[in-house]
mmCIF file of all heavy atoms in Angstrom:
data_model
loop_
_atom_site.group_PDB
_atom_site.id
_atom_site.type_symbol
_atom_site.label_atom_id
_atom_site.label_comp_id
_atom_site.label_asym_id
_atom_site.label_seq_id
_atom_site.Cartn_x
_atom_site.Cartn_y
_atom_site.Cartn_z
ATOM 1 N N ARG A 1081 158.120 97.591 -12.656
ATOM 2 C CA ARG A 1081 159.154 98.498 -12.010
ATOM 3 C C ARG A 1081 159.845 97.808 -10.872
ATOM 4 O O ARG A 1081 161.095 97.840 -10.769
ATOM 5 C CB ARG A 1081 158.476 99.785 -11.522
ATOM 6 C CG ARG A 1081 159.278 101.009 -11.838
ATOM 7 C CD ARG A 1081 158.637 102.276 -11.402
ATOM 8 N NE ARG A 1081 157.477 102.596 -12.224
ATOM 9 C CZ ARG A 1081 156.272 103.011 -11.699
ATOM 10 N NH1 ARG A 1081 156.129 103.135 -10.401
ATOM 11 N NH2 ARG A 1081 155.289 103.337 -12.518
ATOM 12 N N ALA A 1082 159.015 97.122 -10.079
ATOM 13 C CA ALA A 1082 159.615 96.392 -8.937
ATOM 14 C C ALA A 1082 160.551 95.277 -9.381
ATOM 15 O O ALA A 1082 161.674 95.065 -8.795
ATOM 16 C CB ALA A 1082 158.499 95.836 -8.079
ATOM 17 N N VAL A 1083 160.189 94.597 -10.381
ATOM 18 C CA VAL A 1083 161.035 93.480 -10.914
ATOM 19 C C VAL A 1083 162.346 94.091 -11.453
ATOM 20 O O VAL A 1083 163.487 93.476 -11.266
ATOM 21 C CB VAL A 1083 160.258 92.687 -11.943
ATOM 22 C CG1 VAL A 1083 161.213 91.608 -12.587
ATOM 23 C CG2 VAL A 1083 159.016 92.062 -11.419
ATOM 24 N N THR A 1084 162.192 95.271 -12.134
ATOM 25 C CA THR A 1084 163.379 95.868 -12.706
ATOM 26 C C THR A 1084 164.413 96.214 -11.620
ATOM 27 O O THR A 1084 165.627 96.071 -11.792
ATOM 28 C CB THR A 1084 162.963 97.180 -13.418
ATOM 29 O OG1 THR A 1084 161.945 96.878 -14.339
ATOM 30 C CG2 THR A 1084 164.152 97.891 -14.120
ATOM 31 N N LYS A 1085 163.960 96.603 -10.370
ATOM 32 C CA LYS A 1085 164.802 96.963 -9.271
ATOM 33 C C LYS A 1085 165.516 95.734 -8.708
ATOM 34 O O LYS A 1085 166.549 95.890 -7.979
ATOM 35 C CB LYS A 1085 164.007 97.599 -8.146
ATOM 36 C CG LYS A 1085 163.614 99.044 -8.517
ATOM 37 C CD LYS A 1085 162.822 99.690 -7.446
ATOM 38 C CE LYS A 1085 162.491 101.129 -7.864
ATOM 39 N NZ LYS A 1085 161.508 101.711 -6.962
ATOM 40 N N LEU A 1086 165.088 94.590 -9.169
ATOM 41 C CA LEU A 1086 165.759 93.294 -8.668
ATOM 42 C C LEU A 1086 166.741 92.780 -9.697
ATOM 43 O O LEU A 1086 167.229 91.673 -9.611
ATOM 44 C CB LEU A 1086 164.689 92.269 -8.425
ATOM 45 C CG LEU A 1086 163.735 92.543 -7.221
ATOM 46 C CD1 LEU A 1086 162.714 91.459 -7.172
ATOM 47 C CD2 LEU A 1086 164.540 92.603 -5.880
ATOM 48 N N GLY A 1087 167.170 93.668 -10.647
ATOM 49 C CA GLY A 1087 168.251 93.332 -11.578
ATOM 50 C C GLY A 1087 167.726 92.755 -12.876
ATOM 51 O O GLY A 1087 168.398 91.965 -13.503
ATOM 52 N N PHE A 1088 166.541 93.129 -13.339
ATOM 53 C CA PHE A 1088 166.067 92.706 -14.664
ATOM 54 C C PHE A 1088 165.544 93.838 -15.427
ATOM 55 O O PHE A 1088 165.212 94.935 -14.911
ATOM 56 C CB PHE A 1088 164.857 91.725 -14.426
ATOM 57 C CG PHE A 1088 165.202 90.460 -13.678
ATOM 58 C CD1 PHE A 1088 164.983 90.390 -12.277
ATOM 59 C CD2 PHE A 1088 165.854 89.395 -14.338
ATOM 60 C CE1 PHE A 1088 165.269 89.217 -11.596
ATOM 61 C CE2 PHE A 1088 166.155 88.263 -13.672
ATOM 62 C CZ PHE A 1088 165.861 88.141 -12.305
ATOM 63 N N LYS A 1089 165.401 93.661 -16.739
ATOM 64 C CA LYS A 1089 164.768 94.609 -17.581
ATOM 65 C C LYS A 1089 163.663 93.879 -18.363
ATOM 66 O O LYS A 1089 163.864 92.741 -18.747
ATOM 67 C CB LYS A 1089 165.753 95.368 -18.512
ATOM 68 C CG LYS A 1089 166.279 94.560 -19.550
ATOM 69 C CD LYS A 1089 167.030 95.471 -20.583
ATOM 70 C CE LYS A 1089 167.508 94.656 -21.781
ATOM 71 N NZ LYS A 1089 168.364 95.407 -22.688
ATOM 72 N N ILE A 1090 162.533 94.581 -18.570
ATOM 73 C CA ILE A 1090 161.399 94.049 -19.251
ATOM 74 C C ILE A 1090 161.748 93.877 -20.781
ATOM 75 O O ILE A 1090 162.258 94.804 -21.381
ATOM 76 C CB ILE A 1090 160.104 94.770 -19.051
ATOM 77 C CG1 ILE A 1090 158.912 94.092 -19.733
ATOM 78 C CG2 ILE A 1090 160.185 96.242 -19.448
ATOM 79 C CD1 ILE A 1090 158.400 92.905 -18.955
ATOM 80 N N VAL A 1091 161.622 92.729 -21.342
ATOM 81 C CA VAL A 1091 161.863 92.428 -22.740
ATOM 82 C C VAL A 1091 160.559 92.407 -23.486
ATOM 83 O O VAL A 1091 160.445 92.998 -24.593
ATOM 84 C CB VAL A 1091 162.629 91.118 -22.918
ATOM 85 C CG1 VAL A 1091 162.825 90.781 -24.394
ATOM 86 C CG2 VAL A 1091 163.961 91.173 -22.218
ATOM 87 N N SER A 1092 159.565 91.730 -22.943
ATOM 88 C CA SER A 1092 158.308 91.679 -23.668
ATOM 89 C C SER A 1092 157.158 91.345 -22.637
ATOM 90 O O SER A 1092 157.426 90.750 -21.636
ATOM 91 C CB SER A 1092 158.255 90.597 -24.773
ATOM 92 O OG SER A 1092 158.323 89.326 -24.184
ATOM 93 N N LYS A 1093 156.024 91.848 -22.995
ATOM 94 C CA LYS A 1093 154.873 91.558 -22.168
ATOM 95 C C LYS A 1093 153.710 91.216 -23.085
ATOM 96 O O LYS A 1093 153.547 91.860 -24.126
ATOM 97 C CB LYS A 1093 154.510 92.661 -21.214
ATOM 98 C CG LYS A 1093 154.205 93.993 -21.917
ATOM 99 C CD LYS A 1093 153.809 95.071 -20.940
ATOM 100 C CE LYS A 1093 153.437 96.354 -21.733
ATOM 101 N NZ LYS A 1093 153.583 97.574 -20.926
ATOM 102 N N ASP A 1094 152.944 90.265 -22.657
ATOM 103 C CA ASP A 1094 151.741 89.843 -23.426
ATOM 104 C C ASP A 1094 150.602 89.880 -22.509
ATOM 105 O O ASP A 1094 150.454 88.998 -21.564
ATOM 106 C CB ASP A 1094 151.988 88.433 -24.043
ATOM 107 C CG ASP A 1094 150.799 87.918 -24.920
ATOM 108 O OD1 ASP A 1094 149.772 88.769 -24.898
ATOM 109 O OD2 ASP A 1094 150.824 86.849 -25.400
ATOM 110 N N LEU A 1095 149.720 90.920 -22.709
ATOM 111 C CA LEU A 1095 148.521 90.985 -21.809
ATOM 112 C C LEU A 1095 147.238 90.555 -22.666
ATOM 113 O O LEU A 1095 146.144 90.957 -22.257
ATOM 114 C CB LEU A 1095 148.428 92.438 -21.318
ATOM 115 C CG LEU A 1095 149.679 93.069 -20.780
ATOM 116 C CD1 LEU A 1095 149.416 94.518 -20.332
ATOM 117 C CD2 LEU A 1095 150.150 92.331 -19.526
ATOM 118 N N THR A 1096 147.469 89.892 -23.712
ATOM 119 C CA THR A 1096 146.289 89.598 -24.555
ATOM 120 C C THR A 1096 145.435 88.473 -24.131
ATOM 121 O O THR A 1096 144.254 88.371 -24.390
ATOM 122 C CB THR A 1096 146.797 89.261 -26.007
ATOM 123 O OG1 THR A 1096 147.658 88.183 -25.949
ATOM 124 C CG2 THR A 1096 147.439 90.549 -26.634
ATOM 125 N N ASN A 1097 145.999 87.569 -23.344
ATOM 126 C CA ASN A 1097 145.244 86.418 -22.951
ATOM 127 C C ASN A 1097 144.208 86.827 -21.867
ATOM 128 O O ASN A 1097 144.502 87.598 -21.008
ATOM 129 C CB ASN A 1097 146.170 85.323 -22.401
ATOM 130 C CG ASN A 1097 145.469 84.002 -22.333
ATOM 131 O OD1 ASN A 1097 144.781 83.749 -21.368
ATOM 132 N ND2 ASN A 1097 145.612 83.160 -23.337
ATOM 133 N N SER A 1098 143.048 86.131 -21.966
ATOM 134 C CA SER A 1098 141.914 86.424 -21.003
ATOM 135 C C SER A 1098 142.272 85.944 -19.627
ATOM 136 O O SER A 1098 141.711 86.460 -18.642
ATOM 137 C CB SER A 1098 140.671 85.785 -21.537
ATOM 138 O OG SER A 1098 140.887 84.383 -21.678
ATOM 139 N N HIS A 1099 143.129 84.959 -19.455
ATOM 140 C CA HIS A 1099 143.318 84.330 -18.196
ATOM 141 C C HIS A 1099 144.705 84.704 -17.556
ATOM 142 O O HIS A 1099 144.791 84.721 -16.314
ATOM 143 C CB HIS A 1099 143.241 82.810 -18.256
ATOM 144 C CG HIS A 1099 141.802 82.356 -18.434
ATOM 145 N ND1 HIS A 1099 141.100 82.577 -19.563
ATOM 146 C CD2 HIS A 1099 141.016 81.611 -17.594
ATOM 147 C CE1 HIS A 1099 139.872 82.080 -19.440
ATOM 148 N NE2 HIS A 1099 139.760 81.428 -18.259
ATOM 149 N N PHE A 1100 145.657 84.937 -18.328
ATOM 150 C CA PHE A 1100 146.981 85.179 -17.730
ATOM 151 C C PHE A 1100 147.800 86.206 -18.545
ATOM 152 O O PHE A 1100 147.564 86.464 -19.747
ATOM 153 C CB PHE A 1100 147.809 83.839 -17.609
ATOM 154 C CG PHE A 1100 147.949 83.201 -18.942
ATOM 155 C CD1 PHE A 1100 149.018 83.468 -19.780
ATOM 156 C CD2 PHE A 1100 147.030 82.184 -19.362
ATOM 157 C CE1 PHE A 1100 149.180 82.817 -21.013
ATOM 158 C CE2 PHE A 1100 147.161 81.601 -20.610
ATOM 159 C CZ PHE A 1100 148.245 81.871 -21.434
ATOM 160 N N PHE A 1101 148.802 86.817 -17.898
ATOM 161 C CA PHE A 1101 149.791 87.687 -18.536
ATOM 162 C C PHE A 1101 151.094 86.999 -18.624
ATOM 163 O O PHE A 1101 151.443 86.188 -17.793
ATOM 164 C CB PHE A 1101 149.927 88.963 -17.664
ATOM 165 C CG PHE A 1101 148.686 89.875 -17.654
ATOM 166 C CD1 PHE A 1101 148.622 90.809 -16.632
ATOM 167 C CD2 PHE A 1101 147.739 89.803 -18.631
ATOM 168 C CE1 PHE A 1101 147.548 91.665 -16.553
ATOM 169 C CE2 PHE A 1101 146.599 90.660 -18.547
ATOM 170 C CZ PHE A 1101 146.491 91.563 -17.506
#
Side-chain angles (χ1 to χ4, degrees):
R1081 222 178 288 135
V1083 176
T1084 304
K1085 285 182 179 169
L1086 292 174
F1088 299 98
K1089 71 170 184 185
I1090 183 78
V1091 176
S1092 70
K1093 60 178 181 202
D1094 182 358
L1095 312 178
T1096 57
N1097 193 280
S1098 57
H1099 287 68
F1100 56 88
F1101 292 159

